Structures are given as C-alpha cells and as structure tokens.
C-alpha cells in the first residue's frame, strides 16, 4: 500500500520520518516528481533502483536544501558557485567531484567519483529535505524507461504498492527534468538539456554548450541513453501529415484529420509545451487504444530555449525501447 500524503506540516513530518526509516517517498519538484530516499542510507538508495527497475550504473541526483549544504559535499568551483547563485533554487543539476567526506552513499552516484547535485525550487521538496536534515537522492518517480511523472496520478500509475508514500504536491510547473551540466572536467559539458533556458545558461557561462552525443553502449551520463522516456505506443516525430492509425501530439494549429489530439500549446509557447509534454504522452498512450489508434505522431517543435529539451525528449521517446 502506498500512503497518500498532503502538504500539511504533519504530513511533511510523516514523510521525513519514513525517509529516516529508509523508506521511499515520492514528492513534487518544479520539474517532475522525484522518488526520494535518504541519500546517506545505502539500503534506501538501493531500494530506489529496485522500485524503478533502474540499472545500477545509472547514478541519481542528490537534492539539497541550500547551495551551502550542497557545496559541502563536492569540490565546487567559482563557475559552479556563480551558476548556483543565478539558477538555484531551480531546474539546474551540477555534476562535480565528490569530496572524501561526502556522506552520500556511493551507490547513489553509481560508484562514480562525481556527484550530481541540485537545489529544487518547489516548496514541498524544500520542506521535505529540511525536515529530513540530509540530502535526498531522487530520480524521476517512474519505472525506468517510462515517461516522467508530472502529477501524483502519474506516479501512482507506475509505482503504486512499490513505495511507502507520495506527497501530492500538485502538477509540476516546469514539466521537464532539470538541465544536467557536468563541471567536473576542464570545460562545462551539457549532459542533458532541461528546464533551464539554454541561452540564459550559456550567457552565464560565457560560451556555447554543445550537447554530448548519445552513447548507448557506455553512456557518460546514463540518462542520455537513446531509448528513454518512451511511451508504449510507437512515436513518430516531426510529423507534418497524419496516418489513419495515429493520434496527434500538436504544437500550434493541429494537422487536419487527426481523430485524437493532445495540444501542447495552441499559442506555440515553448514553456507551456514543456509543462504539458509528459502529461500529453501519458494521456495519448492511455487514450489512443480506446479509439483504435496504434501510434502517436508529434508535430515539429522549434529547438530554441526550452524547445531543445522538448525535442531531445521526443527524439528519445521515438527510439524503440530495446533493453
Ligand atoms: O528534474 C530532475 O532532474 C528530476 C527531479 C526529481 O529532480 N530528477 C531526475 O532524475 O530527472 P533522473 O535520475 O531521472 O535523471 C538524472 C540524470 C540521469 O541522466 C543521470 O545519468 C544523470 O542525471 N547523472 C546523475 N549523476 C550523474 C553523475 N555523477 N555524472 C553524470 N551524470 C549523472
Ligand atoms: Mg528519469
């Protein structure tokens, strides 16, 4: 049984106490729902991998209450501190070398010498981490390879019965995972485009960021595996026409003739589209079969600002899940 909790002080304290006991609690962040465990408890962290069916080589993000707390566990740099000043709390994850004194379980970082850290902006996430008084390791709260959850209902649909509790934190504002930036090497590397505006990030760093290419065999950042975020139905991207068996994921004026449409943003607003992307994929995946539709066609999305993260997720979702 998965317990449903609310945002009251009492329920947040109950959730923190479950985490302290090594249990798993899903909670809202501004990006997507996270599946949280006490990051310093290796058994609890192992339970995350088990509940998600996640490969052990794919490391987790550690969520902190403040930049100060986060930087106590890693070797920060002036650039890291500047980016934290500008983008935290918020949808930016920084990968930095972990310190010898870092209390986070090695399994959370999949045994790597680096650690991914983030200070989330959502009040529920902040209150939960503060109540626990330790970092919270949290991947997206879905079964591995599935679509990330942006509502409590999405979380329950894939993890009900596998986790101790969920805090209903409302729909996620950003709707896409955080931007992951590797600062552990000589130059910053964008491991995953995400909720932060890319041009704003580049302006802050002072150079253009090139995304690393997909590496399905030995992924530098395992979340970069091509087949990620996949709906069950096959997905065709950059569609400018519709087939009789397809449901439509629309951006702007829909392609005429679609029998079932989910509109990401009628006014072609990229932030609105990002916030609805996973909701749309979940909805089409669940609704299309009742209309005898067997595939999803997604209209083209511009690739500037958060559009780059949207097209990144769609192209991964379009690659058949093969493991
Ligand atoms: O918005 C988000 O980032 C959400 C919320 C819950 O914070 N979390 C999330 O976690 O998306 P997850 O586990 O689904 O994605 C974490 C990504 C993965 O691509 C993982 O490979 C990468 O971060 N990552 C984590 N630690 C890393 C490290 N030390 N080096 C390189 N990549 C790392
Ligand atoms: Mg994920």
């Amino acid at each position: 049984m998965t317990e449903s909790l609310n945002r009251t002080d009492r329920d947040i304290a109950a959730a923190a106490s479950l985490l302290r006991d090594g249990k798993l609690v899903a909670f809202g962040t501004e990006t997507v729902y996270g599946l949280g465990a006490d990051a310093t408890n290796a058994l609890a962290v192992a339970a995350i991998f088990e509940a998600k069916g996640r490969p052990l080589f794919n490391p987790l993000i550690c969520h902190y209450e403040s930049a100060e707390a986060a930087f106590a566990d890693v070797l920060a740099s002036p650039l890291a501190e500047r980016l934290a000043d500008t983008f935290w709390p918020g949808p930016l994850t920084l990968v930095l070398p972990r310190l010898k004194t870092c209390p986070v379980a090695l399994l959370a970082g999949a045994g790597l010498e680096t650690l991914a850290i983030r200070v989330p902006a959502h009040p529920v996430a902040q209150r939960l981490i503060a109540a626990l008084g330790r970092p919270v390791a949290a991947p997206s709260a879905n079964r591995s390879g599935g679509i990330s959850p942006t509502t409590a209902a999405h979380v329950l649909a894939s993890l009900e019965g596998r986790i101790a509790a969920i805090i209903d934190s409302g729909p996620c504002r950003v709707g896409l995972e955080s931007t992951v930036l590797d600062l552990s090497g000589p130059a910053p590397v964008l491991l995953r485009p995400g909720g932060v505006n890319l041009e704003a990030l580049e302006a802050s760093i002072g150079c253009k960021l090139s995304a690393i290419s997909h590496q399905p065999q030995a992924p530098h950042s395992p979340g970069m595996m091509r087949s990620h975020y996949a709906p069950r139905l096959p997905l065709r991207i950059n569609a400018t026409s519709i087939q009789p068996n397809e449901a439509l994921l629309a951006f702007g004026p829909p392609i005429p003739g679609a029998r079932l449409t989910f509109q990401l943003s009628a006014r072609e607003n990229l932030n609105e589209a990002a916030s609805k992307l996973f909701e749309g994929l979940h909805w089409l995946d669940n609704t299309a079969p009742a209309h005898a539709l067997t595939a999803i066609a997604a209209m083209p999305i511009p690739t500037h600002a958060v559009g780059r993260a949207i097209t990144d997720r769609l192209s991964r979702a379009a690659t058949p899940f093969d493991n």
Side-chain angles (χ1 to χ4, degrees), residues 264-302:
L264 288 174
S265 174
R267 57 198 172 111
E268 300 182 39
N269 177 292
L270 287 171
N271 288 344
E272 183 187 19
S275 73
K276 290 192 183 163
L277 176 66
F278 292 136
E279 183 195 338
L281 289 173
H282 276 284
W283 187 82
L284 289 173
D285 219 16
N286 292 328
T287 315
H291 296 257
L293 298 169
T294 54
I296 301 171
M299 290 175 64
I301 309 271

Side-chain angles (χ1 to χ4, degrees), residues 52 54 140 142 148 177 228-229:
K52 272 186 70 93
R54 179 173 174 121
S140 51
N142 53 279
S148 290
E177 298 90 343
H228 219 88
Y229 314 100

Side-chain angles (χ1 to χ4, degrees), residues 1-24:
M1 251 302 277
T2 297
E3 192 180 350
S4 279
L5 299 170
N6 289 306
R7 288 176 244 198
T8 58
D9 287 345
R10 224 180 98 177
D11 276 9
I12 299 274
S17 141
L18 286 169
L19 290 177
R20 211 168 286 121
D21 288 344
K23 303 277 185 0
L24 304 183

Side-chain angles (χ1 to χ4, degrees), residues 72-75 97-104 106 113:
D73 288 349
V74 294
L75 187 64
R98 55 185 283 159
L99 293 177
K100 286 228 158 42
T101 51
C102 175
V104 170
L106 280 170
E113 284 168 11

